[in-house]
Amino acid sequence: MKPTVDYTLYLVTDRGLMSTATLEEAVEKAICGGCTMVQLREKNASSLEFYENALKVKAVTDKYNVPLIVNDRLDIALAIDAAGVHVGQSDLPAGVVRKITGGKKILGVSANSVESALKAQQDGADYIGVGALYSTNTKTDAGVIAREQLLEVRRAVSIPVVGIGGINRQNAGELATTGIDGIAVVSAIISQEDICGAAKELLVIFKGNFQ
């Protein structure tokens, strides 16, 4: 059974940017600051390294009952029994992922148009990731999409929408009026000296208060 998901503050990891000695330390600090879910992204790791890092991070997310999503790699997600997997338009098709996982895993899909978002929803996605909303150095191949595109996707689908790409303390407040369900953040949390404090601040800015 899939866990109940709060998409409000969605940490996406990047070991190359973290301010801590270990990834699990960064993830724990982010969760303590209010991150409601975590996506493990490992673009340059071997399968074994990815698997080992995923186990370490999952021990932390399980401790706090926060869903762990694995980026791209369905095999790793299944191997560690992660809460879910996130795929892009060039990864395994969402419908195939849903067929393999059944209804037990959270499925996130990157979709930057109404057409691709509706297709993802039809294929069984639980949420849509839309971006890059602002220019970002963490994913240089991601073109920035207009605010109106984000609003169009939000209006078109009935499942949660999460914004990603270049979101920080200067612009997070702009997204509070778009109707999206959460913001996915990389460097504005994980590269900060005070990861916990950075997460708390972003949560206040996006939601208006910190519970």
Side-chain angles (χ1 to χ4, degrees), residues 9 13-14 19 32 45 56 64 67-68 73 94-95 103 111 115 118 125 130 132 147 154-155 160 166 169 183 186 189:
L9 189 57
T13 69
D14 187 326
S19 62
C32 288
K56 292 175 184 177
Y64 293 94
L68 176 63
R73 296 287 299 270
E115 181 183 24
L118 287 171
V130 181
R147 180 185 176 92
R154 173 63 286 175
R155 289 191 292 262
R169 60 192 297 273
I183 52 174
V186 189
I189 292 178

Side-chain angles (χ1 to χ4, degrees), residues 16-160:
L17 295 174
M18 65 188 188
S19 62
T20 55
T22 67
L23 188 55
E24 53 268 33
E25 182 185 355
V27 168
E28 183 160 28
K29 287 183 175 182
I31 291 172
C32 288
C35 283
T36 54
M37 62 192 305
V38 176
Q39 181 185 133
L40 182 61
R41 180 187 284 173
E42 292 282 359
K43 293 296 186 182
N44 301 309
S46 68
S47 293
L48 178 59
E49 189 177 20
F50 198 155
Y51 170 73
E52 290 174 342
N53 285 329
L55 284 175
K56 292 175 184 177
V57 171
K58 187 171 184 290
V60 175
T61 56
D62 283 355
K63 175 182 175 182
Y64 293 94
N65 198 30
V66 169
L68 176 63
I69 308 298
V70 173
N71 180 258
D72 294 350
R73 296 287 299 270
L74 176 59
D75 56 336
I76 301 293
L78 293 174
I80 68 162
D81 193 25
V85 63
H86 186 98
V87 295
Q89 294 298 312
S90 61
D91 299 317
L92 273 177
V96 173
V97 176
R98 177 53 76 208
K99 184 175 181 181
I100 293 171
T101 61
K104 297 180 180 179
K105 300 292 184 188
I106 299 165
L107 173 57
V109 179
S110 297
N112 292 341
S113 68
V114 169
E115 181 183 24
S116 59
L118 287 171
K119 178 69 164 60
Q121 179 173 269
Q122 179 183 351
D123 288 342
D126 292 292
Y127 73 92
I128 303 294
V130 181
L133 299 183
Y134 305 94
S135 60
T136 172
N137 292 325
T138 60
K139 199 169 184 182
T140 54
D141 61 339
V144 175
I145 73 162
R147 180 185 176 92
E148 184 55 38
Q149 287 177 272
L150 173 64
L151 295 174
E152 287 175 356
V153 170
R154 173 63 286 175
R155 289 191 292 262
V157 299
S158 58
I159 57 177

